[in-house]
Amino acid sequence: MTSLLELDGIAIRYGGNTVLSGLTLSIDSGEIVGLLGPNGSGKSTVLNAVTGFTPLASGSIRFDGRRIDPLAPHRIAQRGIRRTFQLPSMPTRMSVLELTMTASSEHHQLCAALLRGRATRRIEHATHARASALLEQLKLTAVAHLPAASISGGQKKLLSIACAMMTEPKLLLLDEPTAGVHPNLRGELIDELRRIHGLGVTLVVIEHDMHFIRELCERCVVLDRGAAIANCKPAELDKNRRVLDAYLGRAHRTARPLEAP
Ligand SMILES: Nc1ncnc2c1ncn2[C@@H]1O[C@H](COP(=O)(O)OP(=O)(O)OP(=O)(O)O)[C@@H](O)[C@H]1O
Protein backbone atom coordinates (compact mmCIF):
# COMPACT_ATOMS: atom_id res chain seq x y z
CA MET A 1 0.00 0.00 0.00
CA THR A 2 1.14 3.57 -0.65
CA SER A 3 0.78 6.53 1.64
CA LEU A 4 -2.32 8.57 0.76
CA LEU A 5 -2.33 11.10 3.60
CA GLU A 6 0.75 12.30 5.43
CA LEU A 7 0.67 14.68 8.38
CA ASP A 8 4.21 15.79 9.12
CA GLY A 9 4.73 17.46 12.48
CA ILE A 10 1.55 19.53 12.35
CA ALA A 11 0.84 22.02 15.11
CA ILE A 12 -2.38 23.97 15.63
CA ARG A 13 -2.89 26.75 18.14
CA TYR A 14 -5.96 28.68 19.13
CA GLY A 15 -4.56 31.83 20.70
CA GLY A 16 -2.13 30.60 23.34
CA ASN A 17 -3.73 27.15 23.46
CA THR A 18 -1.75 24.46 21.60
CA VAL A 19 -4.30 21.90 20.43
CA LEU A 20 -2.08 19.76 18.18
CA SER A 21 1.61 19.65 18.94
CA GLY A 22 3.80 18.26 16.18
CA LEU A 23 1.49 15.42 15.12
CA THR A 24 2.96 13.02 12.55
CA LEU A 25 0.66 10.46 11.02
CA SER A 26 0.55 8.47 7.80
CA ILE A 27 -2.50 6.78 6.29
CA ASP A 28 -2.12 4.33 3.45
CA SER A 29 -4.42 4.10 0.50
CA GLY A 30 -7.11 1.49 1.24
CA GLU A 31 -6.87 1.61 5.03
CA ILE A 32 -9.67 2.06 7.57
CA VAL A 33 -8.16 3.94 10.50
CA GLY A 34 -9.88 4.82 13.77
CA LEU A 35 -8.93 8.15 15.32
CA LEU A 36 -9.54 7.92 19.05
CA GLY A 37 -8.89 9.87 22.20
CA PRO A 38 -10.60 11.45 25.18
CA ASN A 39 -12.86 14.49 24.72
CA GLY A 40 -10.88 17.55 23.70
CA SER A 41 -7.79 15.56 22.64
CA GLY A 42 -7.80 17.13 19.15
CA LYS A 43 -9.52 14.57 16.90
CA SER A 44 -11.93 16.95 15.14
CA THR A 45 -9.12 19.48 14.87
CA VAL A 46 -7.16 16.91 12.81
CA LEU A 47 -10.10 16.69 10.38
CA ASN A 48 -10.38 20.49 10.28
CA ALA A 49 -6.67 20.72 9.45
CA VAL A 50 -6.80 18.06 6.71
CA THR A 51 -9.83 19.68 5.05
CA GLY A 52 -8.21 23.12 5.17
CA PHE A 53 -10.61 24.76 7.63
CA THR A 54 -7.99 25.33 10.32
CA PRO A 55 -4.57 26.75 9.33
CA LEU A 56 -1.41 25.06 10.56
CA ALA A 57 0.97 26.86 12.89
CA SER A 58 3.73 24.55 11.59
CA GLY A 59 4.23 21.28 9.76
CA SER A 60 2.73 20.12 6.47
CA ILE A 61 0.02 17.84 5.05
CA ARG A 62 0.42 15.87 1.84
CA PHE A 63 -2.35 14.03 0.00
CA ASP A 64 -1.67 11.69 -2.89
CA GLY A 65 1.94 12.88 -2.88
CA ARG A 66 1.12 16.60 -3.14
CA ARG A 67 1.09 19.25 -0.46
CA ILE A 68 -2.43 20.41 0.41
CA ASP A 69 -2.09 22.50 3.57
CA PRO A 70 -1.66 25.79 1.68
CA LEU A 71 -4.88 25.15 -0.32
CA ALA A 72 -8.37 26.54 0.30
CA PRO A 73 -10.97 24.00 1.55
CA HIS A 74 -12.78 23.73 -1.81
CA ARG A 75 -9.50 22.97 -3.60
CA ILE A 76 -8.74 20.23 -1.06
CA ALA A 77 -12.23 18.79 -1.61
CA GLN A 78 -11.58 18.76 -5.37
CA ARG A 79 -8.47 16.64 -4.76
CA GLY A 80 -10.78 13.95 -3.32
CA ILE A 81 -11.18 14.51 0.43
CA ARG A 82 -14.64 14.71 2.00
CA ARG A 83 -15.76 14.75 5.61
CA THR A 84 -18.90 14.36 7.67
CA PHE A 85 -19.64 16.32 10.84
CA GLN A 86 -20.42 15.35 14.42
CA LEU A 87 -23.58 17.50 14.37
CA PRO A 88 -24.56 17.97 10.72
CA SER A 89 -26.72 21.05 10.10
CA MET A 90 -29.21 20.83 7.25
CA PRO A 91 -31.01 23.49 5.17
CA THR A 92 -34.68 23.93 6.10
CA ARG A 93 -36.20 24.09 2.62
CA MET A 94 -34.32 21.53 0.54
CA SER A 95 -35.51 17.95 0.52
CA VAL A 96 -33.18 15.06 1.37
CA LEU A 97 -32.99 14.14 -2.34
CA GLU A 98 -32.38 17.72 -3.50
CA LEU A 99 -29.63 18.20 -0.94
CA THR A 100 -27.95 14.97 -2.02
CA MET A 101 -28.14 16.05 -5.67
CA THR A 102 -26.58 19.46 -4.94
CA ALA A 103 -23.62 17.67 -3.35
CA SER A 104 -22.60 16.30 -6.77
CA SER A 105 -19.24 17.45 -8.12
CA GLU A 106 -18.75 21.07 -9.20
CA HIS A 107 -17.81 19.74 -12.62
CA HIS A 108 -21.25 18.14 -13.12
CA GLN A 109 -23.04 21.24 -11.81
CA LEU A 110 -21.04 23.49 -14.13
CA CYS A 111 -21.79 21.27 -17.13
CA ALA A 112 -25.50 21.27 -16.26
CA ALA A 113 -25.46 25.08 -15.99
CA LEU A 114 -23.59 25.62 -19.28
CA LEU A 115 -25.15 23.00 -21.49
CA ARG A 116 -28.64 23.22 -22.93
CA GLY A 117 -31.47 20.80 -23.64
CA ARG A 118 -30.78 17.09 -23.79
CA ALA A 119 -27.24 17.30 -22.43
CA THR A 120 -28.49 19.10 -19.31
CA ARG A 121 -31.26 16.57 -18.85
CA ARG A 122 -28.79 13.71 -19.22
CA ILE A 123 -26.56 15.13 -16.44
CA GLU A 124 -29.57 15.80 -14.20
CA HIS A 125 -30.87 12.30 -14.81
CA ALA A 126 -27.49 10.76 -13.91
CA THR A 127 -27.22 12.94 -10.78
CA HIS A 128 -30.77 11.99 -9.74
CA ALA A 129 -30.05 8.30 -10.29
CA ARG A 130 -26.82 8.41 -8.28
CA ALA A 131 -28.43 10.37 -5.42
CA SER A 132 -31.42 7.98 -5.33
CA ALA A 133 -29.13 4.93 -5.29
CA LEU A 134 -27.06 6.36 -2.41
CA LEU A 135 -30.21 7.20 -0.43
CA GLU A 136 -31.46 3.68 -0.94
CA GLN A 137 -28.16 2.17 0.22
CA LEU A 138 -28.29 4.33 3.33
CA LYS A 139 -31.95 3.44 4.05
CA LEU A 140 -33.15 6.99 3.40
CA THR A 141 -35.52 6.40 0.49
CA ALA A 142 -38.59 6.75 2.73
CA VAL A 143 -37.54 10.30 3.72
CA ALA A 144 -36.13 11.37 0.34
CA HIS A 145 -38.84 13.98 -0.22
CA LEU A 146 -38.97 15.36 3.33
CA PRO A 147 -37.16 18.58 4.24
CA ALA A 148 -33.59 17.64 5.17
CA ALA A 149 -33.86 19.64 8.41
CA SER A 150 -36.88 17.59 9.56
CA ILE A 151 -35.30 14.11 9.60
CA SER A 152 -33.87 12.51 12.75
CA GLY A 153 -30.33 13.09 14.01
CA GLY A 154 -29.28 9.58 13.00
CA GLN A 155 -30.78 10.03 9.52
CA LYS A 156 -28.88 13.33 9.16
CA LYS A 157 -25.66 11.40 9.86
CA LEU A 158 -26.52 8.93 7.12
CA LEU A 159 -27.49 11.77 4.78
CA SER A 160 -24.14 13.47 5.30
CA ILE A 161 -22.43 10.22 4.23
CA ALA A 162 -24.63 10.11 1.10
CA CYS A 163 -23.72 13.74 0.29
CA ALA A 164 -20.01 13.04 0.81
CA MET A 165 -20.20 10.02 -1.50
CA MET A 166 -21.80 12.02 -4.34
CA THR A 167 -18.35 13.31 -5.30
CA GLU A 168 -16.70 9.87 -5.26
CA PRO A 169 -13.96 10.85 -2.78
CA LYS A 170 -10.66 9.00 -2.39
CA LEU A 171 -10.60 9.74 1.34
CA LEU A 172 -13.66 9.99 3.57
CA LEU A 173 -13.26 11.42 7.06
CA LEU A 174 -16.11 10.54 9.42
CA ASP A 175 -16.64 12.46 12.65
CA GLU A 176 -18.51 10.21 15.11
CA PRO A 177 -20.74 8.47 12.56
CA THR A 178 -22.65 6.46 15.18
CA ALA A 179 -23.51 9.35 17.53
CA GLY A 180 -27.30 9.69 17.49
CA VAL A 181 -27.75 6.60 15.31
CA HIS A 182 -30.06 3.95 16.78
CA PRO A 183 -28.08 0.88 17.97
CA ASN A 184 -30.07 -1.33 15.56
CA LEU A 185 -28.72 0.70 12.65
CA ARG A 186 -25.06 0.49 13.68
CA GLY A 187 -24.55 -2.92 12.08
CA GLU A 188 -26.00 -1.57 8.85
CA LEU A 189 -23.77 1.48 9.08
CA ILE A 190 -20.72 -0.77 9.46
CA ASP A 191 -21.84 -2.79 6.42
CA GLU A 192 -22.35 0.42 4.44
CA LEU A 193 -18.92 1.79 5.38
CA ARG A 194 -17.35 -1.55 4.43
CA ARG A 195 -19.15 -1.35 1.09
CA ILE A 196 -17.83 2.21 0.57
CA HIS A 197 -14.34 0.96 1.52
CA GLY A 198 -14.78 -1.86 -1.01
CA LEU A 199 -15.22 0.81 -3.71
CA GLY A 200 -11.65 1.90 -3.00
CA VAL A 201 -12.35 4.73 -0.54
CA THR A 202 -9.88 5.14 2.34
CA LEU A 203 -11.66 5.82 5.64
CA VAL A 204 -10.64 7.71 8.78
CA VAL A 205 -13.23 7.37 11.53
CA ILE A 206 -13.46 9.36 14.75
CA GLU A 207 -15.57 7.31 17.12
CA HIS A 208 -16.14 6.72 20.83
CA ASP A 209 -18.01 3.44 20.29
CA MET A 210 -15.24 0.86 20.76
CA HIS A 211 -17.39 -2.01 19.51
CA PHE A 212 -17.84 -0.12 16.24
CA ILE A 213 -14.08 0.57 16.04
CA ARG A 214 -13.19 -3.09 16.65
CA GLU A 215 -15.65 -4.22 13.99
CA LEU A 216 -14.59 -1.75 11.34
CA CYS A 217 -11.01 -0.56 11.77
CA GLU A 218 -7.73 -2.30 10.99
CA ARG A 219 -5.65 0.26 12.88
CA CYS A 220 -6.18 2.92 15.52
CA VAL A 221 -4.36 6.12 16.32
CA VAL A 222 -5.03 7.46 19.81
CA LEU A 223 -4.57 11.14 20.61
CA ASP A 224 -4.11 12.66 24.02
CA ARG A 225 -3.72 16.42 24.46
CA GLY A 226 -2.87 16.87 20.79
CA ALA A 227 -0.19 14.16 20.49
CA ALA A 228 -0.39 10.57 19.24
CA ILE A 229 0.09 8.15 22.16
CA ALA A 230 -0.74 4.88 20.39
CA ASN A 231 -0.79 3.48 16.88
CA CYS A 232 -1.94 -0.13 16.99
CA LYS A 233 -4.60 -2.70 16.17
CA PRO A 234 -7.93 -2.16 18.02
CA ALA A 235 -7.45 -5.44 19.91
CA GLU A 236 -4.23 -4.08 21.45
CA LEU A 237 -5.81 -0.93 22.90
CA ASP A 238 -6.97 -2.31 26.23
CA LYS A 239 -3.45 -3.54 27.04
CA ASN A 240 -1.81 -0.21 26.26
CA ARG A 241 -0.92 1.57 29.49
CA ARG A 242 -0.69 5.05 27.91
CA VAL A 243 -4.15 4.66 26.40
CA LEU A 244 -5.64 3.47 29.70
CA ASP A 245 -3.97 6.34 31.53
CA ALA A 246 -5.38 8.84 29.02
CA TYR A 247 -8.92 7.51 29.28
CA LEU A 248 -9.10 6.44 32.91
CA GLY A 249 -6.39 8.46 34.67
CA ARG A 250 -3.49 6.89 36.56
CA ALA A 251 -5.79 5.87 39.43
CA HIS A 252 -6.90 2.85 37.41
CA ARG A 253 -3.48 1.24 37.92
CA THR A 254 -4.11 0.56 41.58
CA ALA A 255 -7.64 -0.64 40.82
CA ARG A 256 -6.60 -3.09 38.10
CA PRO A 257 -3.01 -4.26 37.67
CA LEU A 258 -1.90 -4.40 34.05
CA GLU A 259 0.54 -6.42 32.06
CA ALA A 260 3.40 -4.43 30.58
CA PRO A 261 2.43 -2.96 27.16
N1 LIG B 1 -12.32 27.19 17.22
C1 LIG B 1 -11.73 26.92 18.39
N2 LIG B 1 -11.26 27.92 19.18
C2 LIG B 1 -10.63 27.65 20.34
N3 LIG B 1 -10.42 26.40 20.83
C3 LIG B 1 -10.89 25.39 20.08
C4 LIG B 1 -11.56 25.58 18.84
N4 LIG B 1 -11.89 24.36 18.33
C5 LIG B 1 -11.46 23.47 19.22
N5 LIG B 1 -10.86 24.06 20.27
C6 LIG B 1 -10.24 23.39 21.43
O1 LIG B 1 -9.34 22.44 20.94
C7 LIG B 1 -9.33 21.28 21.75
C8 LIG B 1 -9.54 20.05 20.88
O2 LIG B 1 -10.85 20.11 20.34
P1 LIG B 1 -11.41 18.99 19.36
O3 LIG B 1 -12.81 19.37 19.00
O4 LIG B 1 -10.45 18.78 18.25
O5 LIG B 1 -11.39 17.72 20.31
P2 LIG B 1 -12.01 16.28 20.07
O6 LIG B 1 -10.93 15.30 20.41
O7 LIG B 1 -12.61 16.18 18.72
O8 LIG B 1 -13.13 16.24 21.21
P3 LIG B 1 -14.57 15.50 21.28
O9 LIG B 1 -14.32 14.03 21.35
O10 LIG B 1 -15.14 16.04 22.55
O11 LIG B 1 -15.35 15.93 20.06
C9 LIG B 1 -10.41 21.49 22.81
O12 LIG B 1 -9.78 21.90 24.00
C10 LIG B 1 -11.25 22.58 22.23
O13 LIG B 1 -11.83 23.35 23.25
Side-chain angles (χ1 to χ4, degrees), residues 43 53-54 60 63 66 69 90 103 115 124 131 146 151 180 211 227 235 254:
K43 304 178 297 293
F53 282 93
T54 302
S60 64
F63 179 68
R66 293 154 80 194
D69 55 277
M90 299 289 166
L115 297 170
E124 278 178 4
L146 296 181
I151 62 177
H211 176 71
T254 48

Side-chain angles (χ1 to χ4, degrees), residues 12-15 17-20 36-48 54 86 175-176 206 208 223 226:
I12 289 194
R13 295 189 193 100
Y14 291 114
N17 185 15
T18 299
V19 175
L20 295 181
L36 312 179
N39 293 120
S41 55
K43 304 178 297 293
S44 297
T45 303
V46 171
L47 301 202
N48 293 339
T54 302
Q86 233 176 83
D175 200 342
E176 296 193 30
I206 294 179
H208 290 291
L223 298 186

Side-chain angles (χ1 to χ4, degrees), residues 5-6 14 43 71 76 81 158 188 201 246 250:
L5 181 71
E6 291 169 89
Y14 291 114
K43 304 178 297 293
L71 301 180
I76 294 174
I81 301 179
L158 299 172
E188 289 178 20
V201 182
R250 283 167 181 258

